[in-house]
Amino acid sequence: MSSTNATLATTMATPSDTSDELRFGITDYVVFTLMLGASALIGIYFGFFSKAKNTTEEYLRGGKKMKTLPIAISLVASQLSGIAIMSVPAEMYSFGVNYFFMVIAMVAVVPILNYIIVPVFYENNVSNCYEYLEVRFNKLTRRLVTATFVMNACLMLPVFMFIPSLAFSQVTGMNIHYINVIVSSVCVFYTMLGGIKAVVWTDVVQGCIMLISVVLVGVLGVIQTGGLDAVIENANLGGRLDLNFSLDPRVRITVWNGFWGGLFMWTGHVGLNQSCVQRIVSLPSLGQAKKSLVIAGFGFVIIMGINCCTGIIMFARYYGCDPMMAGMVSKPDKMMPFFIQDIMGNLIGMPGLFISCVFSAALSTLSATLNSLAGVIYFDYIRPFIRHTEARANATMKLVIIAMGIYCIVGGYAVQNFSSIIQTVITITGINTGAVVAVFFLGMLYPRANGKVAVTSIIFSVLIMFFLVVKGQMSFKAGHIKYEGLPNSMDLCDAPQFHVIANAIRNNHTTPIKPTPVPEIPPLVTGAFESNREFSVFEISFYWYKVIGILATILWAVPASYIFKSDEKNVQNPKLFSPFIRKFLTPHQVRELEELPLNGDQLKEKPELHIDITKFEKPKYDTD
């Protein structure tokens, strides 16, 4: 067991300092085992006892007969990874309330999905969102975007699993990698057997666990801190409630980059990522899909809002006696397990419930990604080279899931070296998310865009963002950028509620971190809240990366659409555009659609794209 874990086990307790109360008890293990067991049983049921047909349609879309509420809960659960449960409170603890505007952005995302993106998928009977790009543009566009999905999944899957393993290790002392093996194996087991139905219904169970847990943590945290007034007062005194409206793009997080970064991040993650789109289009009708997204949006804002507040409550609890400065917690990402043990350690089963919450969040994200990744890899990279049968397809996808599960376990050894998980995640996904979101918007909103425009725009944006990210990381390494959180202190550690931390320091169980002396001449550095350096684009906050990626794509695409003009014979189906864009298509374009055939390759791949012009003039939506 690490020194930090040993310290936690010997110090986090009641005044009696009995370590038995600090560790997982039998009840906690029972609660945790029940959660894993329920997930495994759901997979066994849908894998062996469900009467569904053994087809790829059933495995990936549940026969397109899924229900609205379970899909909504599944969408929420898939976005609340262990990163959200563990690292978002840590972000609020260190840098204040401005991250909450990333959550608020979901309110604007739902209408974008319901009125711009999802109708196009339904009207074109799209089961794989990247399939749309092939029909609208060309096969190369689809392959490029699919490659970014696979790359992101490979980079993020070990992170999704490692975070809850870190929490479990923090409260039990077990080796992180042993935990990773056990839980990843359970996730692979039920995802492989049960397909999308097992993923959705385990998400429902796990989503309920998450809701109960985050509410309990928030309520108990407020009570332990001395009430809501004490929380607000301490958070305000510590600067955690200060809104930052700075227009300097180098400031780590402000109201502006929080909202706009969140807007495009959630649009990409929910509406243009196959792991979520696969669930959305498994509903029977567009109307049900819209209802599901509205419910999911509200659920996401509520749970993530509570989770953000937990970070503020956590700071208020330790205002004037910071466990990190006391040397009891090594980094912000480990604060949540410490906080849980502090406020819930003496309540039977509560630590087990919270750890189950963290693992539920991780499992829901991991299982959804594994299921969709298996489908994408098979249909895009394997099917073209083998003779396709339903049995062979299902067997191949299950093997892909097993392989990726092994990869997750091995990847945990690299993830343990990351200093800030949430910063790492947003930085990595910032390389290509902007280009992916932008190319879908080009397809649905900009009729002049064609295959050459799409391909060159993606390449341009990804290269720009890769260069920006690499140079930004070099600035971090050179010490030009240092993101230090808002200050805390140890001035109040003598207060009765901090007896655990104070006793640990007095008994030399920990080594307090001494405040860094302020030099007479301040160094030239870009910090979390200000910069005294000359402006450099490479020091722009990583929260702006997705916005910059979209702007780079558009800045290339618009002039390129006048250089790479579309072939007049290559007529597009009006249903490939968002509904409100169709009325801007000229009558000349409509007449052409009656006279000219679609591209031959498109007709081979999607024969349903033959156009009924009467339906185009008065589009009908199934709103059941």
Side-chain angles (χ1 to χ4, degrees), residues 95 248-253 419-420 423 427 467-485 523-545:
F95 298 101
D248 186 343
R250 295 171 295 177
V251 174
R252 188 178 189 274
I253 185 163
S419 58
S420 172
Q423 181 173 326
T427 300
F467 183 66
L468 184 64
V469 168
V470 170
K471 291 287 288 184
Q473 295 307 301
M474 291 173 65
S475 294
F476 271 105
K477 189 173 183 180
H480 298 155
I481 304 175
K482 289 183 179 180
Y483 289 153
E484 295 181 356
L524 297 177
V525 66
T526 293
F529 307 100
E530 61 182 359
S531 176
N532 56 9
R533 293 172 53 81
E534 290 187 9
F535 180 82
S536 169
V537 69
F538 303 117
E539 295 174 12
I540 287 177
S541 168
F542 58 92
Y543 280 104
W544 282 114
Y545 282 171

Side-chain angles (χ1 to χ4, degrees), residues 125 212 301 320 348 388 398 406 428 516 543 562 594:
N125 194 29
I212 293 170
V301 171
I348 296 175
H388 171 78
K398 289 175 181 178
I406 295 171
I428 290 173
T516 305
Y543 280 104
Y562 289 90
E594 293 178 293

